[in-house]
Amino acid sequence: MLFAVVGVFPLLYTGFLAVHDWDRLGYVRGEFNGLANFAFVLNDPVFQKSLVNTFSIFVMSSVPQVVIAVAVAALLDSPLRGRTFWRMSVLLPFVVAPTAAVLIFGSLFADQFGVINQFARQLGLDGIRWHVDRWWSHLAISSMVNWRWTGYNALIFLAAMQAVSRDLYESAAIDGASRVRQFFSVTLPMIRPTMIFVIITSTMGGLQIFTEPRLFDDTPSREGGANHQFMTTTLYIYVKGIEDQFYGRASAAAWILFLVIIGFAVLNFVITRWLTRRNQT
């Protein structure tokens, strides 16, 4: 019943709104217009730009996030001094409120006086406008996402690594395998189900980034920059639905994003099955 209330009903109701010309002035049922809202959204240059921005930020955040999380988990799984302290410390960024994190990173990536620009000038990169240049803004936003979620995923990987039987490592060591070879030949294959889970959840979260670009924007409209250079699809849905009150168009955009996420989930499933069958053979 809880899933029906908070999951199924919003999904079906959003689908209902997506095929109606919904009145922006009140909750009055509009006329059925078929796929007109979907056609408008797909042909909207702002939506197309938001979709490219979403994929760009997703790649810059999710891919390094998983790789770094696996490396951090491997270090935490080794016999470090003060392991409990280090395991707790990697979770601190996740505890920090997203708003506070964005405010901190907004100061670090300030266009004129930011700390990051001070280091960039030492490397010959002068005049980076983090809030204006499209791809640099994507890098800044993805760094916030990585900082917040890498430690959380590292603890998930650590739990999976600790469940691996130590007998496998002893057998590999007897056969002459080094620590690096043990990591690639024993650890990674044994934690593959956990890696698949983290990749899928990171994909779903990465395609729904909202808080970071919303608060990173320093323009009055807060719509992903003056030229929508870092507007994500979820931010586009928010602007269309909450601010502009075009509920039908916002619902159509939400369903398009939903189908994109489903497509990525199916792609991950197909690739996983193919890799599993390949290893079995």
Side-chain angles (χ1 to χ4, degrees):
M1 292 179 61
L2 181 63
F3 175 71
V5 172
V6 302
V8 177
F9 173 73
L11 185 65
L12 296 179
Y13 189 64
T14 303
F16 173 80
L17 293 178
V19 294
H20 285 79
D21 185 12
W22 204 256
D23 186 6
R24 60 178 295 185
L25 298 179
Y27 294 94
V28 181
R29 181 181 300 178
E31 297 180 355
F32 177 79
N33 61 358
L35 301 178
N37 290 326
F38 290 92
F40 175 86
V41 171
L42 291 174
N43 291 304
D44 187 1
V46 178
F47 175 79
Q48 297 173 4
K49 195 170 189 178
S50 72
L51 203 59
V52 174
N53 294 340
T54 300
F55 288 141
S56 173
I57 297 174
F58 159 70
V59 172
M60 291 183 183
S61 59
S62 296
V63 176
Q65 181 185 136
V66 173
V67 174
I68 297 174
V70 172
V72 171
L75 291 175
L76 294 177
D77 193 39
S78 61
L80 292 174
R81 180 177 299 177
R83 286 182 295 179
T84 303
F85 168 78
W86 294 114
R87 291 173 182 176
M88 293 177 59
S89 63
V90 297
L91 196 60
L92 287 179
F94 181 75
V95 179
V96 177
T99 304
V102 174
L103 292 176
I104 295 172
F105 275 85
S107 299
L108 293 176
F109 288 99
D111 295 336
Q112 301 297 331
F113 55 85
V115 176
I116 304 299
N117 269 347
Q118 297 295 329
F119 289 101
R121 291 189 180 95
Q122 302 299 326
L123 300 176
L125 299 175
D126 194 8
I128 299 178
R129 300 179 299 174
W130 298 100
H131 292 77
V132 178
D133 296 335
R134 186 179 186 185
W135 305 114
W136 286 116
S137 64
H138 294 183
L139 180 62
I141 294 173
S142 63
S143 66
M144 304 178 201
V145 179
N146 289 330
W147 178 81
R148 177 170 170 78
W149 289 98
T150 298
Y152 176 83
N153 290 327
L155 290 184
I156 296 178
F157 285 129
L158 176 62
M161 291 179 182
Q162 290 183 330
V164 178
S165 175
R166 300 298 158 177
D167 295 337
L168 298 176
Y169 294 106
E170 294 177 0
S171 300
I174 292 174
D175 292 336
S178 62
R179 293 292 299 272
V180 176
R181 182 63 182 275
Q182 293 177 28
F183 175 76
F184 285 100
S185 299
V186 178
T187 304
L188 292 184
M190 295 301 296
I191 67 170
R192 183 176 300 152
T194 304
M195 292 186 64
I196 296 172
F197 169 78
V198 172
I199 290 173
I200 292 177
T201 54
S202 298
T203 300
M204 296 174 63
L207 295 175
Q208 300 180 70
I209 296 175
F210 172 80
T211 304
E212 288 81 1
R214 174 71 175 177
L215 298 180
F216 185 71
D217 191 359
D218 56 0
T219 61
S221 61
R222 291 190 178 275
E223 296 182 2
N227 196 30
H228 308 295
Q229 61 268 23
F230 52 88
M231 169 185 273
T232 58
T233 304
T234 52
L235 185 54
Y236 175 89
I237 296 171
Y238 174 84
V239 171
K240 286 296 179 184
I242 303 300
E243 296 184 356
D244 298 340
Q245 296 184 355
F246 289 119
Y247 303 116
R249 296 173 182 176
S251 300
W255 261 87
I256 293 173
L257 179 61
F258 170 72
L259 295 176
V260 170
I261 295 175
I262 293 296
F264 271 92
V266 172
L267 180 62
N268 285 330
F269 176 76
V270 172
I271 294 176
T272 301
R273 290 194 61 181
W274 178 76
L275 291 175
T276 302
R277 291 179 179 178
R278 181 180 179 184
N279 292 332
Q280 291 176 351
T281 57

